[in-house]
Amino acid sequence: MIELVIKNGKVVFPSDTIETSIAIDQGKIVAIGSSSIMPRGVKSLDAEGKFVLPGCIDPHVHVRDVFMGATANDDFFLASKATSLGGTTTIIDFAIQKKACLPIDAVQERRAEADGEVVIDYSLHPSITDLTPETIDQFKELIDLGLPSFKLFLVYRKDGLMVDDGTLLKVFEETKAHGGLVGLHAENVAIIDYLRDEALRKGHRKAIYHAYTRPPITEAEAVNRAIFLANHLNAPYYNFHLTIKEGVEMFREERKRGRPMYAETCTHYLVKTIEDLKGSKGINFICNPPLRQEEDQKALWKGLADGTVSVVSSDQVAFTAEMKKLGEDSFDMVPNGVPGHEFRLPILFSEGVRKKRININRLSEITSTNAAKIFGLYPKKGIINVGSDADIVIFDPNLKKTITTEDSLYSMDWYPYEGMTVKGYPVITISKGKIIWENGEFQGKKGDGEFLRRTISQDLLRTPVV
Ligand code: URP
Ligand code: ZN
Ligand code: ZN
């Protein structure tokens, strides 16, 4: 007898949603078909009236982030447990190179924190901050180790993360040569640092000045530069956390030309605006790039619907309101980043599918399939298919929930989405065939998640794969 059968759910495939059943054994999907022909399972779940989606992939999280004097309020066990409650079954975090150390050292340190702790599978994007000859020598090794995607920061100069354009060009060259993908945090540091210093000189310290000193042009210029350099080398490019309408337009043009350029946005840019920085809790909403205007939100939603924007991540950072107070006297001292990755799927369902901005199949693409394809996890992850990992979320489209901090799994004292009521919520999360959440009960196990070795498809280096 096989281990698990999910019966009669509305199974979400890339271009169809079909009422059917799924058989699971030894962590894999072994059959898909009508319940009458399904083999008997040791356990059977009735998913009638529910959507059955591929487990979500969040390719942009910062677990236990240490930044600007704060240490995020989570660890790999808590973060992976919380995000899987919200339907995520794979996360990709970062391994940020320390100055005078090698990227591989950062990978080893990060793996020591995650291995044996995660309840779902995970991977890492190496982040290059110090391009010594020894670092250049490690690109091939990192890619061969299954870490083919990188994140570089064009900002955070005083925090020691920023790289210059020379480094960027070399990294594009090296990754392309060995079959990797460069992703960027694209903002113009020189303009931002100038505007910040000017604002502080004039005594402007409130949270809203965070956005005023990082206006859209600072992101637009950097995105444009990144695209220009990638095109110059005929290299693929992934833009982490795109927030502006001008950026959406740039990606639309590039993709029309068949260029392998991928834009990601995040949940908060789709439901929060610059107005949130003006309230009494404005400092909590400080993140980079900053929250934008409604017109940017509209452009992002349109880009998600028409295929211009490929992925929605969380950019999760569990900085509490207490930690954010480090900058209560001055916006530039606030640890940046927002929590709430456990609400990504329900928010996107309520705001996207219910409001008819996207359909359920597109929701599944932007939260799962596309990240799997771009980052080299497909078809192991990102699709409900025979042979794929049985990473599945059963989603009740009628379950209502109001987001509060009360049942936060890692004692968050605020969420950007607090007070928001969503209709549609995950009820069961399955990771590699094992039920890890069922109706709010955690059944997963610390250490059941594994480090994933990824290989990026060679097609992705030439044409858009999503
Ligand atoms: O404000 C943000 N996004 N914090 C996390 C670090 C980053 O830049 O992604
Ligand atoms: Zn970033
Ligand atoms: Zn980030």
PDB file of all heavy atoms in Angstrom, residues 60 62 65 67 94 151 153 155-156 185 187 210 240-241 268-269 286-289 315-317 319 335-338, ligand 1:
ATOM      1  N   HIS A  60      13.729  34.222  -1.330  1.00  0.00           N
ATOM      2  CA  HIS A  60      14.359  35.426  -0.770  1.00  0.00           C
ATOM      3  C   HIS A  60      13.925  35.583   0.690  1.00  0.00           C
ATOM      4  O   HIS A  60      12.927  36.235   0.989  1.00  0.00           O
ATOM      5  CB  HIS A  60      13.922  36.638  -1.617  1.00  0.00           C
ATOM      6  CG  HIS A  60      14.592  37.926  -1.245  1.00  0.00           C
ATOM      7  ND1 HIS A  60      14.482  39.061  -2.014  1.00  0.00           N
ATOM      8  CD2 HIS A  60      15.371  38.276  -0.185  1.00  0.00           C
ATOM      9  CE1 HIS A  60      15.161  40.045  -1.454  1.00  0.00           C
ATOM     10  NE2 HIS A  60      15.701  39.597  -0.332  1.00  0.00           N
ATOM     11  N   HIS A  62      15.695  36.039   4.838  1.00  0.00           N
ATOM     12  CA  HIS A  62      16.896  36.294   5.645  1.00  0.00           C
ATOM     13  C   HIS A  62      16.621  35.769   7.051  1.00  0.00           C
ATOM     14  O   HIS A  62      16.010  36.459   7.864  1.00  0.00           O
ATOM     15  CB  HIS A  62      17.192  37.793   5.734  1.00  0.00           C
ATOM     16  CG  HIS A  62      17.370  38.471   4.412  1.00  0.00           C
ATOM     17  ND1 HIS A  62      18.595  38.631   3.812  1.00  0.00           N
ATOM     18  CD2 HIS A  62      16.477  39.046   3.565  1.00  0.00           C
ATOM     19  CE1 HIS A  62      18.446  39.280   2.659  1.00  0.00           C
ATOM     20  NE2 HIS A  62      17.169  39.540   2.487  1.00  0.00           N
ATOM     21  N   ASP A  65      18.782  37.206  10.583  1.00  0.00           N
ATOM     22  CA  ASP A  65      19.591  38.253   9.946  1.00  0.00           C
ATOM     23  C   ASP A  65      20.270  39.107  11.022  1.00  0.00           C
ATOM     24  O   ASP A  65      19.638  39.485  12.005  1.00  0.00           O
ATOM     25  CB  ASP A  65      18.638  39.127   9.108  1.00  0.00           C
ATOM     26  CG  ASP A  65      19.379  39.963   8.085  1.00  0.00           C
ATOM     27  OD1 ASP A  65      20.461  39.549   7.646  1.00  0.00           O
ATOM     28  OD2 ASP A  65      18.864  41.041   7.722  1.00  0.00           O
ATOM     29  N   PHE A  67      22.001  42.629  11.326  1.00  0.00           N
ATOM     30  CA  PHE A  67      22.183  43.821  10.505  1.00  0.00           C
ATOM     31  C   PHE A  67      21.858  45.072  11.317  1.00  0.00           C
ATOM     32  O   PHE A  67      20.885  45.103  12.069  1.00  0.00           O
ATOM     33  CB  PHE A  67      21.237  43.734   9.291  1.00  0.00           C
ATOM     34  CG  PHE A  67      21.634  44.640   8.151  1.00  0.00           C
ATOM     35  CD1 PHE A  67      22.918  44.614   7.626  1.00  0.00           C
ATOM     36  CD2 PHE A  67      20.714  45.515   7.593  1.00  0.00           C
ATOM     37  CE1 PHE A  67      23.281  45.437   6.572  1.00  0.00           C
ATOM     38  CE2 PHE A  67      21.068  46.349   6.524  1.00  0.00           C
ATOM     39  CZ  PHE A  67      22.364  46.300   6.027  1.00  0.00           C
ATOM     40  N   PHE A  94      20.552  33.323   2.201  1.00  0.00           N
ATOM     41  CA  PHE A  94      21.797  33.886   1.675  1.00  0.00           C
ATOM     42  C   PHE A  94      22.997  33.432   2.506  1.00  0.00           C
ATOM     43  O   PHE A  94      22.858  33.168   3.704  1.00  0.00           O
ATOM     44  CB  PHE A  94      21.727  35.421   1.691  1.00  0.00           C
ATOM     45  CG  PHE A  94      20.600  35.925   0.828  1.00  0.00           C
ATOM     46  CD1 PHE A  94      19.326  36.091   1.348  1.00  0.00           C
ATOM     47  CD2 PHE A  94      20.800  36.165  -0.516  1.00  0.00           C
ATOM     48  CE1 PHE A  94      18.267  36.509   0.546  1.00  0.00           C
ATOM     49  CE2 PHE A  94      19.752  36.578  -1.334  1.00  0.00           C
ATOM     50  CZ  PHE A  94      18.491  36.745  -0.798  1.00  0.00           C
ATOM     51  N   LYS A 151      23.615  36.778  -4.995  1.00  0.00           N
ATOM     52  CA  LYS A 151      23.036  38.108  -4.795  1.00  0.00           C
ATOM     53  C   LYS A 151      24.162  39.071  -4.457  1.00  0.00           C
ATOM     54  O   LYS A 151      24.964  38.812  -3.562  1.00  0.00           O
ATOM     55  CB  LYS A 151      21.997  38.136  -3.677  1.00  0.00           C
ATOM     56  CG  LYS A 151      21.349  39.537  -3.536  1.00  0.00           C
ATOM     57  CD  LYS A 151      20.283  39.635  -2.442  1.00  0.00           C
ATOM     58  CE  LYS A 151      19.705  41.050  -2.398  1.00  0.00           C
ATOM     59  NZ  LYS A 151      18.812  41.297  -1.260  1.00  0.00           N
ATOM     60  N   PHE A 153      24.955  43.264  -3.677  1.00  0.00           N
ATOM     61  CA  PHE A 153      24.297  44.484  -3.213  1.00  0.00           C
ATOM     62  C   PHE A 153      24.980  45.696  -3.850  1.00  0.00           C
ATOM     63  O   PHE A 153      26.191  45.851  -3.722  1.00  0.00           O
ATOM     64  CB  PHE A 153      24.417  44.607  -1.689  1.00  0.00           C
ATOM     65  CG  PHE A 153      23.726  43.494  -0.941  1.00  0.00           C
ATOM     66  CD1 PHE A 153      24.421  42.339  -0.580  1.00  0.00           C
ATOM     67  CD2 PHE A 153      22.389  43.598  -0.582  1.00  0.00           C
ATOM     68  CE1 PHE A 153      23.795  41.312   0.124  1.00  0.00           C
ATOM     69  CE2 PHE A 153      21.753  42.578   0.119  1.00  0.00           C
ATOM     70  CZ  PHE A 153      22.456  41.434   0.472  1.00  0.00           C
ATOM     71  N   VAL A 155      24.015  48.543  -2.775  1.00  0.00           N
ATOM     72  CA  VAL A 155      23.866  49.491  -1.650  1.00  0.00           C
ATOM     73  C   VAL A 155      24.530  48.922  -0.395  1.00  0.00           C
ATOM     74  O   VAL A 155      25.207  47.912  -0.466  1.00  0.00           O
ATOM     75  CB  VAL A 155      22.379  49.779  -1.347  1.00  0.00           C
ATOM     76  CG1 VAL A 155      21.772  50.701  -2.372  1.00  0.00           C
ATOM     77  CG2 VAL A 155      21.603  48.486  -1.213  1.00  0.00           C
ATOM     78  N   TYR A 156      24.243  49.552   0.737  1.00  0.00           N
ATOM     79  CA  TYR A 156      24.795  49.169   2.043  1.00  0.00           C
ATOM     80  C   TYR A 156      26.324  49.351   2.052  1.00  0.00           C
ATOM     81  O   TYR A 156      27.070  48.455   2.438  1.00  0.00           O
ATOM     82  CB  TYR A 156      24.440  47.712   2.404  1.00  0.00           C
ATOM     83  CG  TYR A 156      22.955  47.382   2.383  1.00  0.00           C
ATOM     84  CD1 TYR A 156      22.483  46.193   1.823  1.00  0.00           C
ATOM     85  CD2 TYR A 156      22.012  48.258   2.924  1.00  0.00           C
ATOM     86  CE1 TYR A 156      21.136  45.872   1.810  1.00  0.00           C
ATOM     87  CE2 TYR A 156      20.648  47.941   2.905  1.00  0.00           C
ATOM     88  CZ  TYR A 156      20.224  46.748   2.353  1.00  0.00           C
ATOM     89  OH  TYR A 156      18.891  46.431   2.339  1.00  0.00           O
ATOM     90  N   HIS A 185      20.554  43.463  -5.627  1.00  0.00           N
ATOM     91  CA  HIS A 185      19.804  44.490  -4.919  1.00  0.00           C
ATOM     92  C   HIS A 185      20.197  45.781  -5.624  1.00  0.00           C
ATOM     93  O   HIS A 185      21.291  46.304  -5.418  1.00  0.00           O
ATOM     94  CB  HIS A 185      20.201  44.530  -3.443  1.00  0.00           C
ATOM     95  CG  HIS A 185      19.471  45.576  -2.671  1.00  0.00           C
ATOM     96  ND1 HIS A 185      18.894  45.328  -1.453  1.00  0.00           N
ATOM     97  CD2 HIS A 185      19.189  46.869  -2.945  1.00  0.00           C
ATOM     98  CE1 HIS A 185      18.298  46.424  -1.010  1.00  0.00           C
ATOM     99  NE2 HIS A 185      18.482  47.387  -1.910  1.00  0.00           N
ATOM    100  N   GLU A 187      19.903  49.469  -6.240  1.00  0.00           N
ATOM    101  CA  GLU A 187      19.593  50.855  -5.889  1.00  0.00           C
ATOM    102  C   GLU A 187      20.897  51.642  -6.064  1.00  0.00           C
ATOM    103  O   GLU A 187      21.979  51.079  -5.874  1.00  0.00           O
ATOM    104  CB  GLU A 187      19.123  50.991  -4.444  1.00  0.00           C
ATOM    105  CG  GLU A 187      17.741  50.433  -4.138  1.00  0.00           C
ATOM    106  CD  GLU A 187      17.344  50.703  -2.675  1.00  0.00           C
ATOM    107  OE1 GLU A 187      17.902  50.036  -1.781  1.00  0.00           O
ATOM    108  OE2 GLU A 187      16.493  51.566  -2.448  1.00  0.00           O
ATOM    109  N   HIS A 210      12.982  58.043   4.930  1.00  0.00           N
ATOM    110  CA  HIS A 210      13.616  56.847   4.359  1.00  0.00           C
ATOM    111  C   HIS A 210      13.204  56.719   2.888  1.00  0.00           C
ATOM    112  O   HIS A 210      14.045  56.494   2.016  1.00  0.00           O
ATOM    113  CB  HIS A 210      13.194  55.597   5.147  1.00  0.00           C
ATOM    114  CG  HIS A 210      13.762  54.334   4.575  1.00  0.00           C
ATOM    115  ND1 HIS A 210      15.078  54.001   4.686  1.00  0.00           N
ATOM    116  CD2 HIS A 210      13.181  53.346   3.855  1.00  0.00           C
ATOM    117  CE1 HIS A 210      15.301  52.852   4.075  1.00  0.00           C
ATOM    118  NE2 HIS A 210      14.165  52.431   3.556  1.00  0.00           N
ATOM    119  N   PHE A 240      16.224  41.161  -7.581  1.00  0.00           N
ATOM    120  CA  PHE A 240      15.528  40.972  -6.302  1.00  0.00           C
ATOM    121  C   PHE A 240      14.679  42.209  -5.995  1.00  0.00           C
ATOM    122  O   PHE A 240      15.021  43.326  -6.362  1.00  0.00           O
ATOM    123  CB  PHE A 240      16.550  40.783  -5.170  1.00  0.00           C
ATOM    124  CG  PHE A 240      17.203  39.426  -5.182  1.00  0.00           C
ATOM    125  CD1 PHE A 240      18.428  39.224  -5.813  1.00  0.00           C
ATOM    126  CD2 PHE A 240      16.592  38.346  -4.564  1.00  0.00           C
ATOM    127  CE1 PHE A 240      19.030  37.974  -5.808  1.00  0.00           C
ATOM    128  CE2 PHE A 240      17.191  37.086  -4.567  1.00  0.00           C
ATOM    129  CZ  PHE A 240      18.413  36.905  -5.191  1.00  0.00           C
ATOM    130  N   HIS A 241      13.608  42.009  -5.335  1.00  0.00           N
ATOM    131  CA  HIS A 241      12.675  43.041  -4.841  1.00  0.00           C
ATOM    132  C   HIS A 241      12.513  44.289  -5.716  1.00  0.00           C
ATOM    133  O   HIS A 241      12.862  45.388  -5.310  1.00  0.00           O
ATOM    134  CB  HIS A 241      12.965  43.424  -3.388  1.00  0.00           C
ATOM    135  CG  HIS A 241      14.411  43.642  -3.005  1.00  0.00           C
ATOM    136  ND1 HIS A 241      15.309  44.299  -3.802  1.00  0.00           N
ATOM    137  CD2 HIS A 241      15.092  43.290  -1.883  1.00  0.00           C
ATOM    138  CE1 HIS A 241      16.473  44.334  -3.204  1.00  0.00           C
ATOM    139  NE2 HIS A 241      16.364  43.729  -2.029  1.00  0.00           N
ATOM    140  N   HIS A 268       4.964  42.675   0.495  1.00  0.00           N
ATOM    141  CA  HIS A 268       4.674  43.997   1.071  1.00  0.00           C
ATOM    142  C   HIS A 268       4.558  45.093   0.020  1.00  0.00           C
ATOM    143  O   HIS A 268       3.800  46.035   0.201  1.00  0.00           O
ATOM    144  CB  HIS A 268       5.670  44.390   2.169  1.00  0.00           C
ATOM    145  CG  HIS A 268       7.099  44.041   1.924  1.00  0.00           C
ATOM    146  ND1 HIS A 268       7.569  42.752   1.966  1.00  0.00           N
ATOM    147  CD2 HIS A 268       8.179  44.812   1.636  1.00  0.00           C
ATOM    148  CE1 HIS A 268       8.873  42.752   1.732  1.00  0.00           C
ATOM    149  NE2 HIS A 268       9.257  43.993   1.518  1.00  0.00           N
ATOM    150  N   TYR A 269       5.293  44.968  -1.100  1.00  0.00           N
ATOM    151  CA  TYR A 269       5.183  46.011  -2.132  1.00  0.00           C
ATOM    152  C   TYR A 269       3.838  45.950  -2.850  1.00  0.00           C
ATOM    153  O   TYR A 269       3.445  46.899  -3.519  1.00  0.00           O
ATOM    154  CB  TYR A 269       6.331  45.895  -3.142  1.00  0.00           C
ATOM    155  CG  TYR A 269       7.682  46.078  -2.481  1.00  0.00           C
ATOM    156  CD1 TYR A 269       8.614  45.047  -2.442  1.00  0.00           C
ATOM    157  CD2 TYR A 269       8.006  47.279  -1.855  1.00  0.00           C
ATOM    158  CE1 TYR A 269       9.833  45.201  -1.802  1.00  0.00           C
ATOM    159  CE2 TYR A 269       9.229  47.441  -1.214  1.00  0.00           C
ATOM    160  CZ  TYR A 269      10.133  46.398  -1.194  1.00  0.00           C
ATOM    161  OH  TYR A 269      11.333  46.562  -0.541  1.00  0.00           O
ATOM    162  N   ILE A 286      10.216  50.295   7.556  1.00  0.00           N
ATOM    163  CA  ILE A 286      11.444  50.632   6.819  1.00  0.00           C
ATOM    164  C   ILE A 286      12.085  49.361   6.256  1.00  0.00           C
ATOM    165  O   ILE A 286      12.421  48.418   6.977  1.00  0.00           O
ATOM    166  CB  ILE A 286      12.417  51.436   7.710  1.00  0.00           C
ATOM    167  CG1 ILE A 286      11.844  52.863   7.856  1.00  0.00           C
ATOM    168  CG2 ILE A 286      13.835  51.431   7.139  1.00  0.00           C
ATOM    169  CD1 ILE A 286      12.726  53.835   8.605  1.00  0.00           C
ATOM    170  N   CYS A 287      12.156  49.342   4.938  1.00  0.00           N
ATOM    171  CA  CYS A 287      12.799  48.234   4.226  1.00  0.00           C
ATOM    172  C   CYS A 287      13.373  48.816   2.936  1.00  0.00           C
ATOM    173  O   CYS A 287      13.038  49.935   2.558  1.00  0.00           O
ATOM    174  CB  CYS A 287      11.784  47.136   3.917  1.00  0.00           C
ATOM    175  SG  CYS A 287      10.403  47.674   2.908  1.00  0.00           S
ATOM    176  N   ASN A 288      14.221  48.053   2.284  1.00  0.00           N
ATOM    177  CA  ASN A 288      14.863  48.531   1.060  1.00  0.00           C
ATOM    178  C   ASN A 288      14.607  47.608  -0.112  1.00  0.00           C
ATOM    179  O   ASN A 288      14.750  46.403   0.054  1.00  0.00           O
ATOM    180  CB  ASN A 288      16.382  48.624   1.267  1.00  0.00           C
ATOM    181  CG  ASN A 288      16.728  49.711   2.257  1.00  0.00           C
ATOM    182  OD1 ASN A 288      16.094  50.752   2.297  1.00  0.00           O
ATOM    183  ND2 ASN A 288      17.736  49.453   3.074  1.00  0.00           N
ATOM    184  N   PRO A 289      14.280  48.129  -1.288  1.00  0.00           N
ATOM    185  CA  PRO A 289      13.865  49.508  -1.523  1.00  0.00           C
ATOM    186  C   PRO A 289      12.644  49.844  -0.670  1.00  0.00           C
ATOM    187  O   PRO A 289      11.987  48.936  -0.160  1.00  0.00           O
ATOM    188  CB  PRO A 289      13.522  49.525  -3.026  1.00  0.00           C
ATOM    189  CG  PRO A 289      14.193  48.320  -3.605  1.00  0.00           C
ATOM    190  CD  PRO A 289      14.279  47.319  -2.511  1.00  0.00           C
ATOM    191  N   ASP A 315      11.099  38.374   1.183  1.00  0.00           N
ATOM    192  CA  ASP A 315      12.206  39.180   1.733  1.00  0.00           C
ATOM    193  C   ASP A 315      12.076  39.268   3.256  1.00  0.00           C
ATOM    194  O   ASP A 315      12.271  40.332   3.859  1.00  0.00           O
ATOM    195  CB  ASP A 315      12.239  40.576   1.099  1.00  0.00           C
ATOM    196  CG  ASP A 315      13.567  41.280   1.331  1.00  0.00           C
ATOM    197  OD1 ASP A 315      14.474  40.662   1.930  1.00  0.00           O
ATOM    198  OD2 ASP A 315      13.708  42.449   0.920  1.00  0.00           O
ATOM    199  N   GLN A 316      11.752  38.127   3.841  1.00  0.00           N
ATOM    200  CA  GLN A 316      11.503  38.038   5.284  1.00  0.00           C
ATOM    201  C   GLN A 316      12.708  38.446   6.111  1.00  0.00           C
ATOM    202  O   GLN A 316      13.817  37.943   5.920  1.00  0.00           O
ATOM    203  CB  GLN A 316      11.156  36.581   5.597  1.00  0.00           C
ATOM    204  CG  GLN A 316      11.442  36.095   6.988  1.00  0.00           C
ATOM    205  CD  GLN A 316      10.292  36.416   7.946  1.00  0.00           C
ATOM    206  OE1 GLN A 316       9.266  36.945   7.520  1.00  0.00           O
ATOM    207  NE2 GLN A 316      10.454  36.119   9.206  1.00  0.00           N
ATOM    208  N   VAL A 317      12.502  39.372   7.039  1.00  0.00           N
ATOM    209  CA  VAL A 317      13.477  39.647   8.093  1.00  0.00           C
ATOM    210  C   VAL A 317      12.680  39.835   9.378  1.00  0.00           C
ATOM    211  O   VAL A 317      11.849  40.737   9.461  1.00  0.00           O
ATOM    212  CB  VAL A 317      14.297  40.937   7.838  1.00  0.00           C
ATOM    213  CG1 VAL A 317      15.436  41.024   8.852  1.00  0.00           C
ATOM    214  CG2 VAL A 317      14.865  40.999   6.425  1.00  0.00           C
ATOM    215  N   PHE A 319      12.699  41.353  12.179  1.00  0.00           N
ATOM    216  CA  PHE A 319      13.052  42.416  13.118  1.00  0.00           C
ATOM    217  C   PHE A 319      11.782  42.839  13.848  1.00  0.00           C
ATOM    218  O   PHE A 319      10.779  43.182  13.213  1.00  0.00           O
ATOM    219  CB  PHE A 319      13.676  43.612  12.389  1.00  0.00           C
ATOM    220  CG  PHE A 319      15.082  43.375  11.900  1.00  0.00           C
ATOM    221  CD1 PHE A 319      15.533  43.934  10.712  1.00  0.00           C
ATOM    222  CD2 PHE A 319      15.978  42.596  12.649  1.00  0.00           C
ATOM    223  CE1 PHE A 319      16.825  43.720  10.266  1.00  0.00           C
ATOM    224  CE2 PHE A 319      17.273  42.375  12.202  1.00  0.00           C
ATOM    225  CZ  PHE A 319      17.698  42.938  11.014  1.00  0.00           C
ATOM    226  N   PRO A 335      16.965  49.186  11.671  1.00  0.00           N
ATOM    227  CA  PRO A 335      17.297  47.942  10.953  1.00  0.00           C
ATOM    228  C   PRO A 335      16.232  47.683   9.886  1.00  0.00           C
ATOM    229  O   PRO A 335      15.037  47.667  10.198  1.00  0.00           O
ATOM    230  CB  PRO A 335      17.250  46.860  12.041  1.00  0.00           C
ATOM    231  CG  PRO A 335      17.296  47.590  13.343  1.00  0.00           C
ATOM    232  CD  PRO A 335      16.720  48.948  13.107  1.00  0.00           C
ATOM    233  N   ASN A 336      16.658  47.515   8.636  1.00  0.00           N
ATOM    234  CA  ASN A 336      15.636  47.441   7.581  1.00  0.00           C
ATOM    235  C   ASN A 336      15.246  46.007   7.236  1.00  0.00           C
ATOM    236  O   ASN A 336      16.051  45.083   7.296  1.00  0.00           O
ATOM    237  CB  ASN A 336      16.063  48.203   6.328  1.00  0.00           C
ATOM    238  CG  ASN A 336      17.442  47.831   5.864  1.00  0.00           C
ATOM    239  OD1 ASN A 336      18.385  48.593   6.025  1.00  0.00           O
ATOM    240  ND2 ASN A 336      17.569  46.639   5.309  1.00  0.00           N
ATOM    241  N   GLY A 337      13.967  45.885   6.889  1.00  0.00           N
ATOM    242  CA  GLY A 337      13.419  44.571   6.554  1.00  0.00           C
ATOM    243  C   GLY A 337      12.150  44.330   7.342  1.00  0.00           C
ATOM    244  O   GLY A 337      11.984  44.870   8.441  1.00  0.00           O
ATOM    245  N   VAL A 338      11.246  43.515   6.770  1.00  0.00           N
ATOM    246  CA  VAL A 338       9.957  43.265   7.430  1.00  0.00           C
ATOM    247  C   VAL A 338       9.670  41.758   7.551  1.00  0.00           C
ATOM    248  O   VAL A 338      10.100  40.976   6.716  1.00  0.00           O
ATOM    249  CB  VAL A 338       8.790  43.970   6.682  1.00  0.00           C
ATOM    250  CG1 VAL A 338       8.953  45.474   6.693  1.00  0.00           C
ATOM    251  CG2 VAL A 338       8.646  43.454   5.264  1.00  0.00           C
TER     252      VAL A 338
HETATM  253  O1  URP B   1      15.125  45.896   3.700  1.00  0.00           O
HETATM  254  C1  URP B   1      15.466  44.790   3.314  1.00  0.00           C
HETATM  255  N1  URP B   1      15.104  44.378   2.123  1.00  0.00           N
HETATM  256  N2  URP B   1      16.225  44.041   4.120  1.00  0.00           N
HETATM  257  C2  URP B   1      16.774  42.787   3.820  1.00  0.00           C
HETATM  258  C3  URP B   1      18.079  42.881   3.116  1.00  0.00           C
HETATM  259  C4  URP B   1      17.887  43.113   1.660  1.00  0.00           C
HETATM  260  O2  URP B   1      18.326  44.129   1.151  1.00  0.00           O
HETATM  261  O3  URP B   1      17.302  42.287   0.977  1.00  0.00           O
END
